[in-house]
Amino acid sequence: MTSTHLWVRAEERENERRVGITPEGVKTLISDGIQVTVEDSPTRIIGIDRFISAGATPTSQGTWRDAPEDAYIFGLKELPDDGTPLIHRHIFFGHAFKGQAEAPALLNRFGVGGGTLLDLEYLTDTTGRRLAAFGFWAGYVGAALSVATWAGQQVRLPLGAVSPWESKEALILDLTDRLARAGHRRPTALIIGALGRTGTGARALLEVLGIPPTGWDMAETAHGGPFPQILDHDLFLNCILASDGVPVFVPQSAITMPRRLSVIGDIACDPNSPYNPIPIYDQVTTWDTPTRQITAQPPLDVMAIDNLPSLLPLESSEDFAGQLLPLLRQLPTDPDGVWARAGATFQAHT
């Protein structure tokens, strides 16, 4: 019988240093009888030598295109947008099932090639609860960049290009210095989605800095709005994924209303969704330009980077890989489980 083959591709998106499996995880899968191939990558936070020492078969970057047809191609972020047919079973965050603008083209590539998307966002238990996510670190880093943006506003110094921190300790030292230069006052902050993974990460960062946030979740937003309290805080951190039924938190009219709000950290970051709850902006921001100025006076900046955890690539990779490993171990024996449910979700959208 042919063994299960997991092919870990190199990320081809700029500034993506994370990986979804550690060398220790590779060693576990191999002991389970799963064949593991790992592409070399000049940017991955964990070097290829450690994967080789764990028993993985090394290969060159981008060779997944010629991988055996029965291999599972495993990455995190999107594939190169080159229009080629996709013949394999791919595991990654596809962002293709919520009406995103890029979704039809991606799903068409699978349709033409006969492949399947097993979206990491849709690995769920029987109740629909996600089983592996980067949410905590997205919240942690998103809150950090929002605080840094606010601190810069106080001294009229826009947040410039960002790059990965060596560790979360280095991140905290950086923010402490920025806040010290901004003065003695700490910003006020409101988190929506405070009880989820992302909101928990955002709260953890803020509390380390001595910024106790206001936390809202479903109970506080169930009435559907409006939400004038958002405008009474310096920072608003959105940790709710865009989906049908999510209300608008910051409408266009908020731009000209009296407000204390000066920084929106859209950590969930889905501006191209028809359900975008912050429709005052429509494009993600980047590491080179991490904020978008909505208005200068009074200031209102939006931070909406869609690969936030990669700014703490080691911590976020190790955490996510630990959550995902038990699921990867189920790949050979999953007739009705988590991978079957992910496949059914794909079929329902094609």
Side-chain angles (χ1 to χ4, degrees), residues 156-194:
R156 293 180 172 79
L157 183 64
L159 180 63
V162 295
S163 58
W165 285 276
E166 180 182 347
S167 65
K168 67 177 182 179
E169 290 77 18
L171 181 155
I172 294 299
L173 286 174
D174 181 16
L175 290 177
T176 300
D177 180 64
R178 291 173 186 265
L179 286 169
R181 284 184 273 127
H184 296 291
R185 184 171 81 85
R186 289 290 193 263
T188 60
L190 186 150
I191 302 170
I192 293 185

Side-chain angles (χ1 to χ4, degrees), residues 289-333:
T289 309
T291 60
R292 176 179 175 183
Q293 184 180 83
I294 304 301
T295 181
Q297 290 298 329
L300 182 59
D301 295 318
V302 174
M303 186 288 304
I305 293 174
D306 65 355
N307 62 335
L308 287 164
S310 202
L311 287 162
L312 279 178
L314 184 59
E315 289 96 337
S316 61
S317 292
E318 290 178 339
D319 183 19
F320 183 77
Q323 298 173 55
L324 189 64
L325 180 59
L327 307 183
L328 293 174
R329 297 182 74 181
Q330 296 174 29
L331 274 172
T333 58

Side-chain angles (χ1 to χ4, degrees), residues 100-124:
Q100 293 95 331
E102 300 84 1
L106 175 62
L107 295 176
N108 181 66
R109 291 173 66 189
F110 279 106
V112 173
T116 300
L117 169 60
L118 301 172
D119 197 310
L120 289 165
E121 186 178 339
Y122 293 86
L123 300 183
T124 63

Side-chain angles (χ1 to χ4, degrees), residues 142-345:
L145 291 181
S146 299
V147 170
T149 300
W150 180 87
Q153 289 176 342
Q154 309 316 299
V155 293
R156 293 180 172 79
L157 183 64
L159 180 63
V162 295
S163 58
W165 285 276
E166 180 182 347
S167 65
K168 67 177 182 179
E169 290 77 18
L171 181 155
I172 294 299
L173 286 174
D174 181 16
L175 290 177
T176 300
D177 180 64
R178 291 173 186 265
L179 286 169
R181 284 184 273 127
H184 296 291
R185 184 171 81 85
R186 289 290 193 263
T188 60
L190 186 150
I191 302 170
I192 293 185
L195 298 181
R197 288 188 180 98
T198 305
T200 300
R203 178 184 291 275
L205 180 282
L206 293 174
E207 289 180 345
V208 167
L209 296 173
I211 305 171
T214 300
W216 284 7
D217 213 87
M218 294 178 64
E220 293 81 4
T221 60
H223 63 83
F227 304 102
Q229 302 93 323
I230 294 174
L231 304 184
D232 296 332
H233 292 76
D234 296 299
L235 311 179
F236 164 47
L237 305 179
N238 175 46
C239 301
I240 298 292
L241 290 171
S243 61
D244 191 9
V246 171
V248 171
F249 298 135
V250 184
Q252 283 283 347
S253 59
I255 297 173
T256 56
M257 295 174 65
R259 56 179 165 80
R260 181 172 181 169
L261 179 69
S262 65
V263 177
I264 297 173
D266 190 7
I267 299 170
C269 189
D270 205 356
N272 294 319
S273 168
Y275 308 116
N276 176 16
I278 307 174
I280 64 171
Y281 85 107
D282 59 4
Q283 288 185 325
V284 299
T285 59
T286 66
W287 289 20
D288 288 336
T289 309
T291 60
R292 176 179 175 183
Q293 184 180 83
I294 304 301
T295 181
Q297 290 298 329
L300 182 59
D301 295 318
V302 174
M303 186 288 304
I305 293 174
D306 65 355
N307 62 335
L308 287 164
S310 202
L311 287 162
L312 279 178
L314 184 59
E315 289 96 337
S316 61
S317 292
E318 290 178 339
D319 183 19
F320 183 77
Q323 298 173 55
L324 189 64
L325 180 59
L327 307 183
L328 293 174
R329 297 182 74 181
Q330 296 174 29
L331 274 172
T333 58
D334 183 65
D336 301 305
V338 60
W339 298 103
R341 287 191 291 275
T345 300

